[in-house]
Amino acid sequence: MTELIAPELVELDASLGSTPADVIRHLAGLVASAGRATEVEGLFADAYAREQKTATGVPGGIAIPHCRSTAVTVPSLAMARLSQKVDFGAKDGPADLVFFIAAPEGADQEHLKLLAKLARSLIKKDFTAALRAAQTRGDIVDLVNEALGLSAPSTSATAASPAAPAAAPAAGRPTKRIVAVTACPTGIAHTYMAADSLVAAGKDKGIDVQVETQGSAGSTPLPTSVIDAADAVVFAVDVDVRGKERFAGKPYVQSPVKRGIDEPGVMLDEALAVAADPNGRRIAAGAAGSASSASGAESSESTGAKLKRALLTGVSYMIPFVAGGGLLIALGFLLGGFDITKYADNIVVHNSILNLPTEYGPQALGSLGAYLGAVLFKIGGLSMGFLVPALAGYIGYALADRPGIAPGFVAGAVAGFMGAGFLGGIVGGLLAGYTAHWLASLPAPRWLRGLMPVAIIPLVASIIASGLMFLVLGGPIAWVTKVLNDWLTGMSGATAVVLGVILGLMMCFDLGGPVNKVAYAFAVAGLSAASETNAAPYHIMAAVMAAGMVPPLAMALATVLDHKNFNATEHENGKAAWLLGASFISEGAIPFAAADPFRVIPASMLGGAITGALSMAFNVSSKAPHGGIFVFFAIDNFLLWVVSIAVGVVVTALATIALKRYVGRKAPETAEAVPVAA
C-alpha cells in the first residue's frame, strides 16, 4: 500500500498565510508537487468548497481540511505545523496543526479506514503533543505511521493508539443509554471524530453511548436491540441520515457534525433532557432524515430560519429544471427560429416535417433543423412546466422530509393550474410541508406506521394543502400574480431602470446566497408568462444574468490592472474567474469577497446596479435563463447587453482597486511560495 504521508508532504513551523484558503492551497500544492494529484487548482477548489460548507477546525488547535477530488491520484496526507496560527472556525481559537486529507473519488476502503483512523487519533492529547514536539519532517511521518499502525511503535514515541474509544461504561451498569449517528459530506474526518467525542463524553458522564458512523470507511448499522433499549438519539450530521425510520418514536436532538466534536457533552445532556420531557420532540414514523448542513441545529432553529431554509431548498431544487429547460428552449429558437413557438406542437404531434400540412407553417419549416428545434423547444417547455411544482414539492420536502414531497408537488400543480404562479407555489409548498410535518408528529400505532409516509400523509396533506389552494387561496394569489405581471408589462423608461438597479444590487449582494437566489428565482419565474406581447420577463432575465456576471469578471480584471494589491492566490482565482463570469457563475467572486468583503461586495453592488439599469434601459431581452455569453443566440440586442456588462465590470474593478488602495489599506498576503504542479 502506498504511504499516505511522506516527508515532502510536511511543513514545519511555516507561515502559510492568514486564511484557511492560503493554507489549503499551499498543502494542495504539496500534494500535486509530490505527483499525487494532477493539478493544484482542481484539488484546491474541491477542498475549499468542502471548507465553506462546514469549517474544519476542531478543539485543541487542530484543523482537518479534507475532500474527495478527481484531481487526486494517490490517497495522501499533507501536514503543516504553523508558526502563525490560522482560524479554521474552531470555538477555542485558531489552529497551528493542519492535516490536509486528499482522497481520490474512488479511494479504496483500506485507505479510507486509515484516514478515518488518523482523524480519530487527533482528538488524543498525547498524540497532538508529540506532533508539536517533533523536530523533523521524518519524526512527523513516523508519528503518523505509528498512529495508523503502519510501523512498529518506537520506545520514545508518545502517540496514543488511534483505535476508537470503547463504549464501556463507568463502574456498574449506566443508568442511561444513548445511540448516535454521525455523518459528514466527505465521510472521512468529522464523521469519526464526532463519534469518538460522543463516546468519550458518555464515558465521562456514565452514559452508555453507541455510535453508528455513516462514513466513507463503511457503516455498520446499530443493532435493533440497541436502538430499542436507547433512551434517546443524537444525530450529529451534515447529510441525510440513512435509515432514520429505524429510530421512529425515539426522543432526539440533531445538530451539525462539528457540534458533536465541539460540544459532545452538551448534546448528550440535551438528548436526555428531551427524553425526560413528555412533550419533547420524537422521530416521526417513516422519517427520511433530511439533514443538511444548512439546517443547523434543529433543536435551536427558529421559525424564521426554518422558513428561510425551506424556501432556499425549494429554489435550489427548482433551478435545474429551469436552467435545463430554458437552455433547451434557447436551442430550439436557434435551430427553428423564433416562429417555432407557433408551430412546435403541430410538428411534434405529426412526428415529422415531411407530411406537415401547409397551413401549419411556411415551407421554411420543412427542414431537419426546424424539426429538431421543435423537439428541443417542446422538451424545454415541458421541463419549465415543472418550475412551480418542483418549487412547492421541495419546500414541502425541506419541512417534512419525503412525506412532504408528493403533497408539495400536487399543491404546486394546483397553483400552476389556477394561474397563481411562483407565489402560489411558495404558499402551496408551505401548506403541504407544514401539514405533512404535523401529520407525521401525530402518535400512530405500530401497525399503522408503515402506511403513514407512503399513503396516509401524502393523501391527507394533498387534500388539505391543495383543497385550501382551490377553495381559499388560489384565486387571491392568482389575482396578485396578474397584477404583478401587468405592472411588469407596463414598465418602461425610468421605472424599468429602477427595477434593473434593484435586481443588480440583489444579484451582487451575496454572490449565490439567499438574496441572489431570490432575484434569480423572480426572473426565471416570470419566463413562463413571457410572450410576444409581454416581453418584460425577458428584459428582467437579461438584466439579472448580466448583473450576476459582473463580480467575477470584475475581480478578474482587477487582478490584471492592479497586480500588487492582490496576492498570488487571488491572481490564480482571477484567471478562473474570467470563465466563471462569462458563464454567469457569480460564485467565481466568492474567494475575493470572503477575503475582503467590505471592499469587494460594495464595489460589486455598484457595478451590478449600473449593469442592471443599462440592460433594462437598452430593452435587452434573454429567452435563456442561464449560460452567460454562451447563449448569445437567445439574447436580443446582444451587443448592447455586452456593453452593459462591460461598463459594470470596469466600474466594479476600478472601485475595488480604489478601495483597496485608499480605504483601510492593508498589504496583500503573500503566497509566492505556493508550489505549482508541473
Side-chain angles (χ1 to χ4, degrees):
M1 179 183 296
T2 305
E3 287 189 346
L4 291 173
I5 190 169
E8 60 267 25
L9 297 177
V10 178
E11 288 279 14
L12 289 184
D13 305 318
S15 177
L16 304 183
S18 61
T19 68
D22 294 334
V23 178
I24 293 171
R25 182 181 290 278
H26 186 92
L27 294 178
L30 292 182
V31 175
S33 295
R36 293 166 173 254
T38 57
E39 57 168 330
V40 177
E41 283 307 310
L43 177 55
F44 166 74
D46 291 336
Y48 193 60
R50 171 65 186 87
E51 187 73 25
Q52 289 178 307
K53 290 179 181 177
T54 307
T56 57
V58 296
I62 301 166
I64 315 175
H66 55 278
C67 71
R68 291 169 179 255
S69 176
T70 55
V72 178
T73 56
V74 178
S76 300
L77 179 66
M79 181 267 189
R81 192 171 69 197
L82 303 176
S83 59
Q84 176 187 346
K85 293 185 177 183
V86 174
D87 187 0
F88 276 80
K91 286 193 173 184
D92 63 345
D96 64 329
L97 293 180
V98 181
F99 277 89
F100 176 46
I101 299 174
E105 280 291 350
D108 61 82
Q109 288 297 305
E110 289 304 313
H111 277 113
L112 291 173
K113 288 178 180 177
L114 288 175
L115 294 173
K117 200 173 185 181
L118 170 75
R120 292 180 134 151
S121 296
L122 290 173
I123 68 170
K124 300 178 182 298
K125 294 181 180 179
D126 50 358
F127 178 53
T128 55
L131 292 173
R132 289 188 171 96
Q135 298 297 311
T136 67
R137 290 185 174 94
D139 292 341
I140 295 289
V141 172
D142 290 342
L143 285 166
V144 171
N145 284 335
E146 179 186 332
L148 297 178
L150 299 179
S151 62
S154 65
T155 57
S156 60
T158 58
S161 169
R173 171 170 291 207
T175 57
K176 298 295 181 182
R177 296 180 178 86
I178 290 179
V179 292
V181 176
T182 60
C184 66
T186 310
I188 295 175
H190 286 67
T191 299
Y192 303 96
M193 296 181 74
D196 287 353
S197 296
L198 288 167
V199 170
K203 188 174 182 180
D204 291 341
K205 292 175 175 290
I207 303 170
D208 182 7
V209 179
Q210 302 285 336
V211 185
E212 177 180 316
T213 54
Q214 297 185 353
S216 297
S219 175
T220 302
L222 289 166
T224 303
S225 58
V226 172
I227 296 174
D228 290 343
D231 297 288
V233 182
V234 169
F235 293 127
V237 295
D238 286 337
V239 294
D240 290 357
V241 177
R242 297 196 293 270
K244 191 174 182 180
E245 66 278 357
R246 295 172 294 155
F247 305 93
K250 291 289 182 182
Y252 77 105
V253 295
Q254 181 169 310
S255 290
V257 67
K258 195 168 182 294
R259 190 165 181 249
I261 302 172
D262 295 341
E263 301 177 347
V266 175
M267 289 195 72
L268 296 180
D269 291 340
E270 289 176 354
L272 293 179
V274 172
D277 181 1
N279 298 316
R281 72 180 58 82
R282 301 293 188 267
I283 298 171
S290 176
S292 69
S293 59
S295 65
E298 185 173 330
S299 60
S300 60
E301 190 175 36
S302 67
T303 301
K306 189 172 185 179
L307 180 62
K308 171 186 170 183
R309 174 171 59 85
L311 294 176
L312 290 180
T313 298
V315 171
S316 296
Y317 279 99
M318 174 196 76
I319 285 175
F321 289 97
V322 178
L327 291 173
L328 285 168
I329 289 174
L331 289 172
F333 285 136
L334 176 66
L335 295 176
F338 290 105
D339 283 340
I340 202 68
T341 56
K342 304 175 183 177
Y343 312 113
D345 285 357
N346 291 318
I347 292 175
V348 173
V349 167
H350 285 77
N351 203 32
S352 172
I353 43 80
L354 299 177
N355 300 314
L356 189 66
T358 56
E359 63 266 22
Y360 288 152
Q363 291 298 318
L365 286 175
S367 66
L368 179 60
Y371 178 66
L372 293 176
V375 171
L376 293 176
F377 178 85
K378 193 62 182 175
I379 295 173
L382 293 172
S383 176
M384 290 286 286
F386 284 102
L387 188 156
V388 175
L391 172 68
Y394 287 104
I395 288 175
Y397 169 70
L399 294 172
D401 295 322
R402 290 180 187 173
I405 293 180
F409 265 87
V410 174
V414 171
F417 174 78
M418 297 192 71
F422 182 65
L423 296 176
I426 292 176
V427 173
L430 293 174
L431 285 173
Y434 281 117
T435 303
H437 186 273
W438 168 68
L439 291 170
S441 67
L442 297 176
R446 184 176 291 273
W447 61 269
L448 190 60
R449 287 179 185 172
L451 287 175
M452 289 290 288
V454 297
I456 296 175
I457 294 177
L459 172 65
V460 178
S462 295
I463 292 173
I464 294 175
S466 298
L468 286 172
M469 288 297 297
F470 266 125
L471 301 175
V472 181
L473 299 171
I477 296 173
W479 177 81
V480 171
T481 300
K482 183 178 184 302
V483 170
L484 179 61
N485 287 335
D486 290 344
W487 174 67
L488 293 175
T489 303
M491 279 193 320
S492 61
T495 307
V497 172
V498 170
L499 180 60
V501 169
I502 294 171
L503 292 173
L505 291 171
M506 293 177 70
M507 287 300 295
C508 299
F509 176 71
D510 53 1
L511 306 174
V515 176
N516 173 284
K517 280 186 168 61
V518 167
Y520 180 71
F522 169 71
V524 297
L527 290 179
S528 60
S531 65
E532 291 183 3
T533 59
N534 177 21
Y538 292 143
H539 298 329
I540 292 171
M541 190 71 254
V544 163
M545 184 150 54
M549 295 167 65
V550 167
L553 290 173
M555 293 304 104
L557 178 61
T559 60
V560 173
L561 296 178
D562 190 16
H563 184 85
K564 66 180 181 179
N565 271 300
F566 295 91
N567 62 34
T569 298
E570 289 171 325
H571 281 289
E572 289 299 315
N573 289 333
K575 296 175 183 177
W578 286 113
L579 180 60
L580 294 173
S583 304
F584 180 40
I585 300 176
S586 304
E587 289 84 349
I590 285 178
F592 299 90
D596 195 2
F598 297 109
R599 297 179 181 86
V600 171
I601 290 178
S604 297
M605 292 174 67
L606 174 63
I610 292 173
T611 292
L614 288 175
S615 180
M616 294 295 283
F618 292 149
N619 288 323
V620 179
S621 62
S622 173
K623 297 179 175 65
H626 214 290
I629 63 171
F630 300 103
V631 290
F632 61 91
F633 51 83
I635 299 174
D636 294 333
N637 296 324
F638 179 71
L639 291 179
L640 289 176
W641 188 68
V642 172
V643 170
S644 303
I645 296 171
V647 172
V649 167
V650 171
V651 168
T652 294
L654 295 179
T656 301
I657 292 170
L659 289 171
K660 281 182 174 290
R661 286 186 179 183
Y662 306 117
V663 178
R665 184 178 180 184
K666 183 180 77 170
E669 313 286 348
T670 58
E672 301 300 335
V674 177
V676 179

